[in-house]
């Protein structure tokens, strides 16, 4: 009886965790992912790279002339405790990796104004016993983008203060 209760609780928690947010219009996504800075192009580009590296992203590809920065960060999907609980309760051995792929474009608007746009997607690879699956989805959480874009603003200010 206790095992059944625990299994039902886990299923309920899984279903609650799978609820999705409303779809955003393209204009809303652009607004959420984009910020203009009062800074020259090179400082903004370098600040963006610095923030991504400080956040733990691995820089895959950069091209300063086009403004492109591609980066990723991978995280183990299942905690050690969750692996043990899954194996004990459900008799399955799961492992998985979540990879957050990020692309950023830095665009010069003028000598003192630059735009940064960030796109993040989540790729999940799951393995359970002999099977595996993968999925990909856009990240549309305004808090994540605000945090990154605000960190870039702080890094720009720090860099500008150092150059005075």
């Amino acid at each position: 009886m206790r095992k059944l209760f625990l299994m039902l609780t886990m299923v309920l928690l899984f279903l609650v965790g799978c609820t999705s947010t409303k779809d955003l219009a393209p204009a809303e996504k652009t607004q959420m992912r984009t910020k203009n800075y009062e800074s020259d192009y090179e400082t903004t580009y370098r600040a963006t790279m610095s923030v991504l590296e400080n956040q733990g992203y691995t820089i895959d590809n950069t091209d300063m002339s086009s403004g492109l920065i591609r980066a990723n960060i991978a995280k183990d999907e299942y905690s050690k405790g969750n692996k043990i609980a899954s194996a004990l309760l459900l008799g399955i051995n799961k492992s998985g990796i979540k990879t957050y792929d990020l692309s950023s474009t830095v665009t010069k608007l003028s000598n003192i104004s630059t735009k940064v746009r960030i796109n993040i997607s989540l790729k999940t690879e799951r393995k359970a016993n002999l099977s595996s699956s993968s999925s990909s989805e856009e990240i549309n959480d305004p808090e994540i983008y605000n945090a990154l874009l605000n960190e870039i603003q702080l890094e720009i200010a720090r860099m500008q203060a150092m150059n005075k």
Side-chain angles (χ1 to χ4, degrees):
M1 184 69 176
R2 184 179 172 148
K3 274 189 176 182
L4 179 62
F5 175 75
L6 287 173
M7 285 176 43
L8 289 173
T9 303
M10 287 179 63
V11 169
L12 180 63
L13 289 173
F14 175 78
L15 293 174
V16 169
C18 289
T19 59
S20 62
T21 59
K22 70 173 186 103
D23 289 328
L24 297 173
E28 290 174 306
K29 289 179 187 179
T30 299
Q31 183 178 7
M32 171 181 60
R33 298 172 180 178
T34 306
K35 186 169 182 175
N36 293 346
Y37 299 100
E38 291 183 24
S39 173
D40 66 280
Y41 176 82
E42 185 174 343
T43 300
T44 306
Y45 187 88
R46 294 188 188 284
T48 302
M49 286 207 19
S50 178
V51 166
L52 294 177
E53 289 173 332
N54 290 342
Q55 293 289 327
Y57 282 87
T58 301
I59 306 298
D60 294 327
N61 186 14
T62 64
D63 182 10
M64 192 170 206
S65 63
S66 70
L68 178 65
I69 302 169
R70 294 191 50 81
N72 75 70
I73 188 169
K75 297 182 180 186
D76 189 356
E77 182 177 7
Y78 301 100
S79 68
K80 188 179 267 185
N82 195 3
K83 284 182 185 178
I84 293 169
S86 294
L88 290 174
L89 295 173
L90 305 174
I92 57 174
N93 181 16
K94 292 199 266 186
S95 66
I97 299 291
K98 288 184 176 182
T99 304
Y100 293 88
D101 288 330
L102 181 144
S103 66
S104 175
T105 52
V106 180
T107 307
K108 179 179 180 177
L109 301 174
S110 71
N111 288 338
I112 59 167
S113 182
T114 309
K115 175 175 74 171
V116 174
R117 180 176 174 152
I118 297 173
N119 292 306
I120 305 171
S121 64
L122 169 63
K123 291 183 182 170
T124 305
E125 295 181 28
R126 293 181 185 91
K127 294 180 183 175
N129 295 336
L130 299 175
S131 65
S132 64
S133 65
S134 63
S135 63
S136 181
E137 66 180 279
E138 270 185 328
I139 300 298
N140 290 315
D141 185 345
E143 291 179 21
I144 292 171
Y145 290 101
N146 282 337
L148 278 172
L149 294 168
N150 289 337
E151 281 292 317
I152 293 169
Q153 178 67 60
L154 292 172
E155 185 65 15
I156 288 169
R158 188 189 70 75
M159 289 177 159
Q160 289 172 335
M162 288 178 47
N163 290 332
K164 287 186 178 181

